[in-house]
Amino acid sequence: MARRRVHGLAAVVTGFTLSLSAAACGGSPTASPWHPASPEASASATTAASPSLDPSPSPSPSPSPAAPSPTPSRAPTRKPTAKPTPEKAGFTIQRTTGSSGVALTFDDGPHGTWTPRVLDALKARGVKATFCLVGTQAKGHPELVRRIVAEGHTLCNHSWNHETKLGTLSEAAIRANMQRTNDAIHAAVPGAPIRYFRHPGGAWTAAAVKVSRQLGMSPLGWTVDPQDWRRPSASTIASRVVKNTRAGGVVLLHDAGGDRANTLAALPTIISGLRGKYRLIRLPDAH
Ligand SMILES: [Zn+2]
């Protein structure tokens, strides 16, 4: 049965999207088996909020940026210094919420120590967020997957074992990895919607974007990356987020992959700072 998915996200383009070279979410210098150091880890330690950081053209301003675009987005001329990106191959990654609301996203969990604390902090403040789960972690902590869903947060697939090179594999291998992860999540929460996929390390390829969409998941990026995985101070994390977030922004944070005490400690300031200007939302399950 044909299914038409409308993504709505590129409609809200605020001009501060992040360069694909972002290092985040991929790497912890101290590493875990599923969170190896990223070769991109030397990239900018600030955020994606500068328009000058993104050499790629803005997503189409079309009000209905459905997946199959009637006109290819491949640019007729390419800047000689621009890195090829999935966008330029005719794909679009979701980097904004699709509304004026701002989304907090937490990657790499669920983690037995940090995820419950993050959930507590969100619950205490009435904030719904989005959790990008690693399959092996979901398998190991089904009770936390259930709690994430029970407390009203949105699910996102973050690969089976945080494979930063996933997108370089065959489409069949990419599909198997994504499906295995969804299956692990659904073992804990049968039937729960998983409408997003975030590539580890932001290392998108056209194949990863394609397969993600085939499985009904919007390829999810971010607009603000405070590089919390590098464990800067809580005040630094919070100030980077609050300073660089704009309407429609997607904030990248981590609830696993290492000691997340600083991220946790930053949350009250992040939430209060953003709430002064924006509505904090979970990413919608329908698109
Ligand atoms: Zn990650």
Side-chain angles (χ1 to χ4, degrees):
M1 178 173 61
R3 185 163 49 140
R4 186 156 183 266
R5 294 185 291 109
V6 177
H7 287 271
L9 40 114
V12 176
V13 175
T14 51
F16 54 92
T17 54
L18 172 55
S19 165
L20 275 179
S21 64
C25 197
S28 167
T30 51
S32 66
W34 44 271
H35 209 164
S38 166
E40 305 154 330
S42 61
S44 167
T46 57
T47 76
S50 168
S52 64
L53 288 179
D54 189 355
S56 63
S58 295
S60 165
S62 163
S64 57
S69 173
T71 55
S73 61
R74 188 188 303 275
T77 57
R78 172 175 290 178
K79 294 176 187 176
T81 56
K83 280 179 65 176
T85 66
E87 278 92 341
K88 290 182 178 177
F91 297 94
T92 302
I93 293 171
Q94 173 171 354
R95 300 183 191 283
T96 59
T97 62
S99 71
S100 60
V102 166
L104 300 183
T105 64
F106 295 91
D107 283 15
D108 300 352
H111 186 283
T113 299
W114 302 110
T115 303
R117 298 181 187 184
V118 167
L119 288 168
D120 288 346
L122 296 175
K123 188 175 184 180
R125 292 162 182 80
V127 174
K128 307 299 184 190
T130 298
F131 286 81
C132 296
L133 305 184
V134 170
T136 52
Q137 297 296 109
K139 183 178 179 182
H141 300 282
E143 75 289 354
L144 291 177
V145 179
R146 283 191 284 273
R147 184 177 167 191
I148 288 168
V149 171
E151 296 185 359
H153 304 291
T154 296
L155 295 174
C156 168
N157 179 325
H158 197 39
S159 82
W160 174 249
N161 203 26
H162 209 276
E163 294 90 349
T164 55
K165 296 184 184 301
L166 177 64
T168 67
L169 305 181
S170 69
E171 289 185 12
I174 294 170
R175 186 175 297 104
N177 182 295
M178 291 180 182
Q179 188 62 56
R180 185 181 188 189
T181 304
N182 283 349
D183 290 347
I185 295 170
H186 280 152
V189 284
I194 308 169
R195 295 288 184 250
Y196 299 90
F197 174 79
R198 176 175 277 163
H199 199 294
W204 290 100
T205 65
V209 170
K210 176 183 175 182
V211 176
S212 171
R213 287 232 166 88
Q214 287 175 342
L215 293 178
M217 300 185 290
S218 181
L220 179 64
W222 57 83
T223 63
V224 180
D225 172 15
Q227 302 254 315
D228 67 326
W229 58 272
R230 290 177 182 267
R231 298 166 63 184
S233 70
S235 62
T236 297
I237 294 171
S239 65
R240 285 174 176 174
V241 171
V242 174
K243 176 183 173 186
N244 292 293
T245 298
R246 306 290 183 271
V250 175
V251 179
L252 173 63
L253 296 167
H254 294 81
D255 64 331
D259 185 322
R260 295 295 167 237
N262 291 359
T263 300
L264 181 69
L267 278 181
T269 307
I270 289 173
I271 291 169
S272 62
L274 293 181
R275 273 186 160 166
K277 300 178 182 176
Y278 311 108
R279 196 166 41 98
L280 287 178
I281 64 168
R282 68 184 209 134
L283 288 165
D285 280 326
H287 51 248

